[in-house]
Amino acid sequence: MRVKCRIWWPKQNISCENPNSIVLFGWFFRSSSTSLDVVVAVVASQEKISHSHLQPDIEGILHFTNAKMPLSLQGKSTFSVLGHCATDCSFNGQYQWVEMEEKCPTKANGDIYPQNNEESFVENCERWSCGCRKLDRFVEQYRQLSIRNSNWIQLSYDTGYSCEDVRRIPKLHHIHWDGLVVPTFDVHVIIYEPPTFGVHHFSLNSWDSSEQVRMHLKRPMWVDELHQKQPSLDLDTVICAINSATAAKVVFENRVGPQNSFDRFPTVSMLVSVTWHLIAVLVASFFTLLYIILQLCHSFLSYGSQSYIYMIVAKLFGHTWRNIHIRCCQLLYWPIFLRDSGMRYQSSAEYVHRATLRQHSMWSSVAVDIFVGNIVGLALVLHIETACPWVLNLVRDITNDLLRSGCVWLMGVPAGFKLNTELAGIFGMISLNAIQIWSTLWFFLRFLFKYFIKGIAVSGIVLGVTVPAALTIDMIMLATLHVSTLHWLFSVLYSHQIQALTALWRLFRGRKWNPLRERFDSYNYTVKQHVVGSLLFTPLLLLLPTTSVFYIFFTILNTTTNLICIMIEVTVSILHATPYAKIVLWMVRRRRFPSGIWFEIVSGQSTNTLASPKIGFFSNLVSRLRKTERENKGGPRIVVSILRSNTSDIGQIILPHYRDVFRGVSISSSALSAHGVLTGKRIPTSLQTSLPSTMPWLFISFREYWRLCHDSVLACTTDLNCSGKS
């Protein structure tokens, strides 16, 4: 049986500083009966294990580390002792190994006993009959247990060359597979850089893979058979194990490794701890004060929530109320989202990266919103004396030059069209009276406009720019209420007139609508019905141009107002949906946004041409591997490759968020709006773009909220320390 073995080897273990005899920790994965993946996560020298307090509790540490791994990884494999790797004294080939066996006779128990008395020779040549190196008594117990229960690999370093990078690429001597020694195998050594929190991780899918492609219900049979086929390489699980390698190493080195830099300097550690506690107290006190203010406002509004005034105001200022509620929930729930991180660094670099981005997305959105709101608010405060007269003059010009002049123009002969003078006069007088009534109300309330501008400025400074933008939408809709009312009036007249003309036209054609079958059926009308229909059809048709002209005029005005509100609404939704934290992290560390993997072949069995890597660390490695291939021509060789990761571009990061914003907008909705304009139906005044979900109001005591904020800030220090260790 020829086994395909892939060894996933950490990058830092290639250097020459590693000890000559190390024990490997990680995961075994069986993709099939002839395929084995070995993911090496942690290496430790025998001396370090033998002289540490790891001896009595190695099983407990392995179980503890495995319990911290992702559930998907626990279901496929268990974190365990993989095998042993040491400097090979047998040089090359099976022949040299037989010679060494002659020099080192075997004991009765299977151990090899060297004939000479040199300590170094005993250390390098003492082996079991299977070829495994004889280990320390404590480690040897776990080797025997691993051979009986699962697998064990024996790796070696080549000693035929000088101490270069190529020396530290392992060679597989043999595998213990379910108690059997497997000497024949195809080896593929894959060098990977262990993912680290805040640096990078690996992912098979693209960053925007959450938007899955919708597959057709009917698929060919060969597609189902392909999905049922067991793959020879379970890359999903292997990549999950690689992403968890650093977390496993952190847990292991906490027991056998040196202390971190802070533990070496207790004064610095104490100073940093005191500083963080002071920051936590200040932040918790500030947000607790804000929490008290928000709770008082919520109690006051809840007290009058059943009154008609409250319901009218909530309906008129719906956009503002919703954005204020979103911002208040974000300010209330930030400690809960921040504290959710906890000790998740022990799970997987991919999981913690995505969880961290979700946590950062909320506070980064609030920070950018408030920053832009402060700029807009301060600009309005500094230029309020200029802004108020400009807006009032603009409103006056629109009312006089556009509304009044337009109505007078429609009462005459607009664009040479001959309209019904009496009907046009009635429509024009109704429109002018409505405009005059609204202008009078505006004249008496214009002194409040200055306070309204100040309110927009203050709300932008305190709550961010999205709240005054939503307030602007509500004020535009309130200020143009007379235009929308007139548009509603003329749309009702126009739609009923169109419906009447359509029904009368069906009368002349001898057709009638059947509501049960939802179709048009033939129908024999009487002569009286035809006469009455003719008398009604003629005046309605002749009065249609007059109604259409007024309807088109106010439809243009109302649509323009709605477009302005829609543009502001889209801007607000984009401000909420833009992933500012992802954009900043992408500019600083693009490797945190992987989009698939690829393998750079450094040394292969099928070709002597080696690809030159792009990373300088492996440039010397390539030259050494070339030298090794030339010197070992004709002998067994291994395939060595480097695991690389593609990075996502800025579009793959931002576009999924914007697609969620405009999920309700489609070509069909635009077609329905156009059909509504032609038939006189009301057109939507909003695109219904998505906003952040509103959360239930938070009801906890002030002391408990202070403690929650305090612990959330201190949780950041735990994550920083953990990332520093990794």
Side-chain angles (χ1 to χ4, degrees), residues 249-526:
K249 184 179 179 182
V250 169
V251 177
F252 185 87
E253 290 186 349
N254 283 340
R255 295 297 186 99
V256 297
Q259 295 178 341
N260 56 28
S261 58
F262 284 153
D263 294 335
R264 297 175 185 174
F265 303 99
T267 305
V268 177
S269 178
M270 183 179 65
L271 182 61
V272 171
S273 178
V274 170
T275 304
W276 272 107
H277 277 82
L278 181 60
I279 294 173
V281 170
L282 294 176
V283 172
S285 301
F286 173 76
F287 279 96
T288 302
L289 179 62
L290 181 62
Y291 176 76
I292 294 172
I293 296 173
L294 293 178
Q295 290 291 349
L296 292 176
C297 294
H298 183 265
S299 301
F300 175 75
L301 293 174
S302 300
Y303 179 75
S305 60
Q306 302 299 326
S307 62
Y308 289 103
I309 298 177
Y310 175 87
M311 289 187 287
I312 292 174
V313 172
K315 188 173 183 179
L316 290 177
F317 296 93
H319 293 85
T320 307
W321 176 251
R322 186 176 181 186
N323 279 271
I324 289 176
H325 185 65
I326 291 173
R327 182 51 36 81
C328 291
C329 289
Q330 289 174 342
L331 294 175
L332 291 177
Y333 277 87
W334 73 266
I336 297 176
F337 282 93
L338 192 61
R339 195 181 179 185
D340 185 56
S341 59
M343 301 293 287
R344 296 192 61 177
Y345 77 97
Q346 294 184 357
S347 176
S348 171
E350 180 182 4
Y351 295 167
V352 72
H353 279 172
R354 293 185 180 273
T356 304
L357 288 175
R358 283 194 297 268
Q359 293 163 4
H360 291 341
S361 63
M362 189 187 73
W363 72 260
S364 62
S365 176
V366 174
V368 172
D369 201 344
I370 293 179
F371 176 74
V372 178
N374 276 268
I375 295 176
V376 175
L378 292 175
L380 286 176
V381 170
L382 295 175
H383 301 86
I384 191 170
E385 299 297 335
T386 305
C388 289
W390 181 80
V391 174
L392 293 174
N393 293 332
L394 179 63
V395 172
R396 186 185 65 242
D397 294 340
I398 291 176
T399 302
N400 294 331
D401 299 337
L402 186 60
L403 293 178
R404 287 196 176 95
S405 301
C407 292
V408 173
W409 179 62
L410 293 178
M411 292 170 66
V413 186
F417 288 99
K418 179 63 176 176
L419 305 179
N420 186 278
T421 307
E422 290 77 10
L423 185 60
I426 294 173
F427 287 166
M429 290 302 298
I430 293 173
S431 303
L432 290 174
N433 288 332
I435 295 170
Q436 183 60 40
I437 292 172
W438 201 254
S439 299
T440 304
L441 293 174
W442 178 261
F443 177 79
F444 286 110
L445 297 176
R446 64 184 300 175
F447 72 94
L448 298 174
F449 186 73
K450 185 175 182 179
Y451 300 100
F452 169 72
I453 296 294
K454 290 182 179 179
I456 287 181
V458 172
S459 63
I461 294 173
V462 176
L463 297 175
V465 72
T466 54
V467 173
L471 182 59
T472 303
I473 295 175
D474 294 329
M475 288 305 301
I476 290 175
M477 297 181 68
L478 184 61
T480 58
L481 185 60
H482 57 301
V483 176
S484 59
T485 303
L486 291 173
H487 173 260
W488 171 80
L489 175 63
F490 288 114
S491 65
V492 170
L493 293 175
Y494 176 77
S495 62
H496 282 76
Q497 198 168 352
I498 290 293
Q499 292 174 7
L501 289 173
T502 304
L504 292 173
W505 179 251
R506 290 198 298 267
L507 183 145
F508 299 147
R509 296 175 58 224
R511 309 283 291 177
K512 185 179 181 181
W513 173 252
N514 189 342
L516 297 178
R517 298 178 178 267
E518 294 184 353
R519 68 181 186 184
F520 293 103
D521 296 333
S522 300
Y523 187 79
N524 295 324
Y525 293 95
T526 62

Side-chain angles (χ1 to χ4, degrees), residues 586-605:
W586 181 84
M587 296 173 64
V588 177
R589 288 195 182 274
R590 300 188 181 184
R591 297 180 65 191
R592 291 190 64 172
F593 303 91
S595 180
I597 62 173
W598 58 285
F599 299 93
E600 181 178 352
I601 303 298
V602 176
S603 175
Q605 194 174 8

Side-chain angles (χ1 to χ4, degrees), residues 187-191 598-614 618 621-622 625-626 629 638-644:
V187 184
H188 183 189
V189 178
I190 304 168
I191 304 170
W598 58 285
F599 299 93
E600 181 178 352
I601 303 298
V602 176
S603 175
Q605 194 174 8
S606 59
T607 178
N608 292 328
T609 304
L610 298 177
S612 298
K614 301 179 181 178
F618 296 100
L621 175 63
V622 173
L625 282 171
R626 288 174 177 173
E629 287 188 347
I638 60 174
V639 178
V640 180
S641 63
I642 304 170
L643 180 62
R644 304 291 194 192

